[in-house]
Amino acid sequence: MELQLEQITKRYGAKLAVDQLSMCLTPGIYGLLGANGAGKTTLMRLICDILAPTSGSIYYCRQDIHMMGEDYRGILGYLPQKFGYYPEFTALKFLLYMAALKGLNKMTAAERSMELLELTGLLSEKDRKIKTFSGGMQRRLGIAQAMLNDPKILVLDEPTSGLDPKERVRFRNLISSFSKDKIVLLSTHIVADIEYIADKIFIMKEGRFIKTGTLEEITSDIRDFVWECEVSASRAAKMEEAYTVVNVKSRGDRTVLRIVSEEKPAEEAVKAEAALEDIYLYYFSGKGEDAYGTAVSL
């Protein structure tokens, strides 16, 4: 099983949203990381065949997804960033309705809906109207509807946006449990969601991939550039202007800084282990571009 993107470009008038992207996805969890406006949602809508590329092609098992039509949609599960639902529907009625749209027969739809309600922790709430659900419950219902047809490709756009930490952990665990023998593409600007579950990470900026690889491969570029130091509050303010500061922590009248810098930022600075958040902020702070450029690594 393979999803292949070849030189995909998408323009909206003069705006270039996706710029000649190529990627090959096989079963596993892929994290698409980037700031708002990086082109993540456009790329995912292209993969879902909701949008047509300006140029380039997308293939599933060597077949053009656009030519596959309903056959492709039958193996696709999609949770958009803005998940639409009918507020007066109960959770169970909504899943049965979505199952009908996906072409499942009544018996399969009923069995699958109950199974997914249990997996998402919503079985006891199946007869409640969706409008009474919390944000976390609605997102769990969203993943349930995306999984109704047991898709081969699961596309999740900002699935944990707006959730509290407990719900985010629960959601990540759900995604991991669903990912066996599937291509899962997870888009987010929340670094931890990618760091914990992704087998491979794509960092996207201005419509292009500026870095790809495993967590270890991506963070290896800056493993010697992450520092921690404890300084006075006044000195900390000056250092925040001069360096990419990942974290600031007050300790009495002193301040502990976590900094990404090629040069040692202070005499008392000591090296720290690099994390995904370090490289993300390095690229998106505007200070990392001169150091690494914007070359695509594929």
Side-chain angles (χ1 to χ4, degrees):
M1 182 168 57
E2 182 178 274
L3 186 68
Q4 181 82 37
L5 280 69
E6 295 184 358
Q7 296 293 302
I8 292 295
T9 294
K10 181 62 180 178
R11 291 182 178 274
Y12 296 101
K15 178 177 173 55
L16 186 61
V18 173
D19 185 9
Q20 297 185 350
L21 291 187
S22 296
M23 63 197 303
C24 181
L25 306 181
T26 54
I29 301 177
Y30 299 85
L32 185 58
L33 188 61
N36 290 332
K40 305 188 304 297
T41 293
T42 296
L43 177 59
M44 301 188 100
R45 289 170 67 86
L46 288 165
I47 289 173
C48 292
D49 200 30
I50 296 169
L51 294 176
T54 304
S55 62
S57 299
I58 304 175
Y59 300 97
Y60 174 72
C61 296
R62 301 183 180 180
Q63 298 181 73
D64 188 306
I65 65 167
H66 187 66
M67 299 301 293
M68 289 176 67
E70 289 296 327
D71 288 340
Y72 181 68
R73 284 183 280 280
I75 54 109
L76 181 71
Y78 177 44
L79 176 60
Q81 184 175 355
K82 294 182 179 179
F83 168 53
Y85 61 89
Y86 296 96
E88 295 297 327
F89 276 23
T90 64
L92 177 57
K93 184 178 180 181
F94 175 74
L95 289 183
L96 292 173
Y97 172 73
M98 294 301 296
L101 292 181
K102 291 173 184 279
L104 276 66
N105 64 54
K106 288 186 177 181
M107 182 176 294
T108 302
E111 292 176 354
R112 189 67 176 153
S113 295
M114 295 298 283
E115 176 188 350
L116 288 166
L117 285 168
E118 183 172 9
L119 284 172
T120 54
L122 294 172
L123 187 58
S124 62
E125 313 296 334
K126 65 183 177 64
D127 296 320
R128 276 181 58 185
K129 291 185 176 181
I130 303 173
K131 67 180 181 181
T132 69
F133 280 12
S134 67
M137 293 168 71
Q138 289 177 11
R139 297 307 280 179
R140 278 187 271 149
L141 187 62
I143 187 68
Q145 67 81 25
M147 289 297 300
L148 277 167
N149 57 331
D150 193 21
K152 298 294 184 183
I153 302 170
L154 182 60
V155 179
L156 306 167
D157 192 359
E158 298 283 357
T160 62
S161 179
L163 302 189
D164 63 36
K166 184 177 179 180
E167 283 284 4
R168 281 174 48 213
V169 170
R170 182 169 192 167
F171 205 95
R172 289 201 303 262
N173 291 341
L174 277 173
I175 293 167
S176 293
S177 69
F178 286 146
S179 65
K180 185 178 179 182
D181 301 325
K182 290 178 174 56
I183 295 171
V184 180
L185 183 60
L186 167 67
S187 163
T188 186
H189 63 277
I190 302 173
V191 176
D193 290 341
I194 295 291
E195 194 165 26
Y196 283 118
I197 65 172
D199 300 309
K200 188 172 183 179
I201 300 165
F202 295 82
I203 300 180
M204 193 171 183
K205 184 175 184 179
E206 296 177 353
R208 304 195 73 193
F209 296 138
I210 58 173
K211 195 68 183 174
T212 72
T214 64
L215 176 63
E216 292 75 18
E217 289 168 343
I218 284 182
T219 56
S220 66
D221 275 355
I222 62 164
R223 62 187 172 192
D224 294 324
F225 303 154
V226 183
W227 310 84
E228 288 188 355
C229 59
E230 185 175 316
V231 297
S232 66
S234 59
R235 190 175 171 199
K238 293 179 180 178
M239 293 180 74
E240 285 187 67
E241 294 180 1
Y243 297 99
T244 299
V245 176
V246 178
N247 191 54
V248 179
K249 182 188 298 183
S250 296
R251 187 175 292 170
D253 60 350
R254 307 280 288 175
T255 301
V256 179
L257 300 177
R258 183 179 177 90
I259 293 171
V260 182
S261 171
E262 290 188 31
E263 62 183 32
K264 192 174 183 178
E267 185 61 34
E268 59 269 55
V270 295
K271 286 185 178 180
E273 184 176 351
L276 184 59
E277 186 176 36
D278 299 319
I279 198 165
Y280 177 82
L281 292 179
Y282 188 67
Y283 278 124
F284 289 97
S285 69
K287 298 174 184 177
E289 292 180 7
D290 292 338
Y292 294 117
T294 56
V296 179
S297 174
L298 289 171

